[in-house]
Amino acid sequence: MELNYRVADRTGRWILLTTVLASSMAFIDGSALNVALSELQIDLGASGAELLWIVNSYLLFLAALILLGGALGDRYGRKRVFGYGIGLFALASLAAGLAPGTTWLIAARAVQGVGGAMMVPGSLAIIAASFSPSDSGKAIGIWSSASTVTTIGGPILGGVLAGAGLWRAVFFINLPLAAIALYSLRHVPESRDENAPERLDYPGAALAVLGLIGLTYGLITLGDRGLENARDDAGVLISLIAGVLALIVFVIVERRSTHPMLRLSLFQSRTFTGANAMTAFLYGALGGAIFFLPLNLIQVQGYDASVAGLTMLPFSLLLAGLSPLAGAFADRYGPRVPLTLGPAITGIGFLLLILPGVTGGPHDYWTTYLPGILGIGLGMGITVAPLSNTVMTAVSSSQAGTASGINNAVSRLAQVLATAALGALALGAFSSGLETRTAQIDLPAQARETLLAHTSDLANTEPPPGLAPETQQAVEGAIQDAFVEAFRWVFGVAVALAWLSALCAATLIEPGRLRSQSEPQSARLGAGDD
């Protein structure tokens, strides 16, 4: 059922209001929380592994269920499913804001992910189905501009709230946004896909969730306990094997299903495959980087949370300012050059962030962290718009929505697995580095044992009580140096991932200008594709 409203219509304005507000909840929640993690860790006594779960439990369910959420909207009504998603996200946000401990918060974040999977794909689907062809581009542009504002404002908001000791407000702010969005939704007409399949791919969704949970649990536990201890834990090995097997079975089920959640036939397009491969590498690197950079700035470099939130402003401004220019360049000359150059520059930005050690604080920002952040912003600003357009254009116009949903899921899946893997790397590197450094400090055996037993707290690890002032200072320095070493390992992997993304673009994205979506599908996928 396709509608034909205009942006200037009263109903059109209601549609934009509800979709923008709902999307803003998801964008603000993710970007603001990263800056508030340090304050959250202190308040709840969370370990480093628990911080990883707080971030990943949301991303895990969002990534695994986002395609199913879009299909539910097509089948049962986009407005209905979208509204349920907003309501569930809001209730989970309330539970997260009231969380008395980390287990409660992790569970609430998981429910947020389920709500997000029902809500996120509905935003653009409702816009695409509701506006006339002449107004759909303008409507999507307004939605994109609002998304950019929330992307810019999220870290700043998170820093201000965390700096005031109000990290719980990161979740509570969703409640008035949800209330207004649900009120606006009353004025939005229902739409659905009359050709949507009767059956939905629930087996595929279940396998995706099981696979991601298995891999995430295995990787985080491996890093938390250390390789030697985890090697003797059968649960870790079983979890990793079960996760891999579940994802393999998922691919088999999707290949054989008559109503798959993941249309594997789309990957017969070399350009579509290349775009998703580079998405996985690049967004995996970015997800890990955004998790660890605020922790480094706040817990090691001595930045206030509010200042740490402002440090990413150059990144957001470059992303917003360069995206339209990069999109226009790709339209005129083709996407291969910007999609190769952008990730390569992003990798250089990650490399520059490896260089600083323990700095003198925020007044050293301009010569230590700003160059790397500028590099990441420049690279992502060159990449994002051409990448989105390439994904949509690599397949026939009738499959553009499915292609966009797959790419959206790939980016979130990459963030889940990369954050878990890089988190495991950081936990292991920090523990090993701290053990090596404290071996050179004259510490009582009991004090050293107590210290090393808390390395899962990462840079929030505290020296054992009762130490002499000089010894305590030496231990504090060892903790900071060990975290910087772990940070460098994480960003070294991020560099490699970003450059792998550039390699995928250079070798798999077809040269020349983007082809029109109106061309027959055989021009892109081959005559035998679905």
Side-chain angles (χ1 to χ4, degrees):
M1 180 192 303
E2 302 299 319
L3 308 169
N4 284 287
Y5 294 99
R6 302 183 65 85
V7 171
D9 295 341
R10 187 167 183 268
T11 301
R13 290 194 293 268
W14 284 119
I15 293 169
L16 283 173
L17 180 60
T18 189
T19 54
V20 164
L21 287 175
S23 300
S24 296
M25 287 194 297
F27 289 135
I28 291 175
D29 197 71
S31 58
L33 182 62
N34 282 325
V35 183
L37 283 175
S38 180
E39 184 69 25
L40 181 157
Q41 183 179 25
I42 295 171
D43 194 16
L44 296 184
S47 68
E50 287 171 329
L51 287 184
L52 290 168
W53 272 114
I54 289 167
V55 171
N56 267 351
S57 58
Y58 170 74
L59 290 174
L60 190 154
F61 281 90
L62 179 62
L65 299 177
I66 193 168
L67 291 176
L68 180 63
L72 284 169
D74 290 340
R75 176 70 180 85
Y76 295 109
R78 298 178 181 114
K79 173 183 174 179
R80 175 187 297 180
V81 174
F82 185 65
Y84 288 153
I86 294 173
L88 186 60
F89 193 91
L91 290 175
S93 297
L94 176 62
L98 296 173
T102 54
T103 301
W104 179 308
L105 180 55
I106 291 168
R109 290 282 288 163
V111 178
Q112 272 191 315
V114 178
M118 300 168 68
M119 181 177 68
V120 171
S123 295
L124 282 176
I126 288 174
I127 291 175
S130 299
F131 287 97
S132 64
S134 61
D135 263 37
S136 61
K138 182 178 180 180
I140 292 175
I142 293 172
W143 181 90
S144 298
S145 298
S147 300
T148 299
V149 170
T150 56
T151 300
I152 293 172
I156 299 173
L157 177 65
V160 170
L161 293 175
L166 300 172
W167 65 264
R168 295 177 185 272
V170 170
F171 299 110
F172 290 144
I173 199 171
N174 291 327
L175 302 181
L177 294 178
I180 299 171
L182 287 172
Y183 176 80
S184 304
L185 190 63
R186 297 171 56 197
H187 304 276
V188 174
E190 183 61 278
S191 65
R192 55 174 51 85
D193 183 359
E194 302 298 343
N195 297 317
E198 292 291 329
R199 298 174 58 195
L200 296 177
D201 188 15
Y202 295 114
L207 286 166
V209 170
L210 290 174
L212 290 178
I213 288 177
L215 288 178
T216 302
Y217 173 81
L219 289 170
I220 292 177
T221 305
L222 186 66
D224 187 28
R225 299 182 184 175
L227 182 60
E228 293 184 3
N229 294 328
R231 190 166 46 195
D232 298 327
D233 187 343
V236 175
L237 183 61
I238 291 172
S239 176
L240 290 171
I241 293 175
V244 172
L245 289 177
L247 292 180
I248 291 173
V249 176
F250 167 76
V251 173
I252 295 173
V253 167
E254 297 305 284
R255 183 181 294 275
R256 295 180 178 179
S257 175
T258 57
H259 48 280
M261 184 173 71
L262 179 64
R263 294 285 299 276
L264 296 177
S265 62
L266 296 181
F267 288 91
Q268 294 180 37
S269 164
R270 179 176 173 177
T271 294
F272 183 74
T273 300
N276 281 282
M278 63 170 295
T279 295
F281 289 128
L282 185 60
Y283 280 86
L286 189 65
I290 290 176
F291 178 87
F292 283 100
L293 181 59
L295 292 179
N296 185 14
L297 294 177
I298 295 170
Q299 296 183 343
V300 175
Q301 309 302 335
Y303 289 51
D304 289 334
S306 56
V307 175
L310 287 170
T311 61
M312 292 302 292
L313 185 59
F315 164 83
S316 300
L317 292 175
L318 279 171
L319 178 62
L322 289 176
S323 288
L325 299 176
F329 179 92
D331 286 343
R332 184 169 183 179
Y333 299 105
R336 177 185 278 187
V337 171
L339 292 185
T340 303
L341 184 63
I345 294 174
T346 302
I348 294 173
F350 290 139
L351 184 62
L352 291 174
L353 290 176
I354 292 176
L355 301 179
V358 179
T359 69
H363 66 272
D364 288 343
Y365 166 75
W366 311 103
T367 57
T368 54
Y369 291 99
L370 178 61
I373 290 172
L374 288 175
I376 297 171
L378 176 61
M380 293 302 296
I382 292 172
T383 304
V384 170
L387 178 58
S388 299
N389 205 13
T390 299
V391 168
M392 301 283 282
T393 313
V395 300
S396 66
S397 58
S398 63
Q399 296 173 321
T402 301
S404 178
I406 290 173
N407 188 252
N408 206 336
V410 166
S411 67
R412 286 169 169 79
L413 170 63
Q415 291 178 62
V416 172
L417 295 180
T419 303
L422 293 176
L425 174 63
L427 287 165
F430 177 77
S431 178
S432 175
L434 187 59
E435 184 175 4
T436 300
R437 285 168 173 80
T438 54
Q440 303 170 14
I441 300 174
D442 186 17
L443 271 178
Q446 183 62 41
R448 177 176 284 104
E449 184 177 339
T450 300
L451 176 67
L452 296 180
H454 290 84
T455 55
S456 64
D457 293 341
L458 293 174
N460 202 39
T461 301
E462 296 183 357
L467 298 178
E470 308 82 29
T471 305
Q472 179 172 333
Q473 185 176 4
V475 171
E476 289 173 349
I479 292 170
Q480 292 180 328
D481 289 339
F483 186 84
V484 168
E485 179 183 347
F487 181 85
R488 286 171 170 166
W489 274 105
V490 168
F491 274 72
V493 174
V495 171
L497 291 174
W499 287 347
L500 277 173
S501 178
L503 181 63
C504 288
T507 56
L508 295 175
I509 303 297
E510 62 184 42
R513 296 175 59 183
L514 293 169
R515 295 174 180 175
S516 170
Q517 292 184 10
S518 62
E519 291 181 21
Q521 183 180 354
S522 58
R524 300 179 188 84
L525 299 181
D529 296 323
D530 296 333

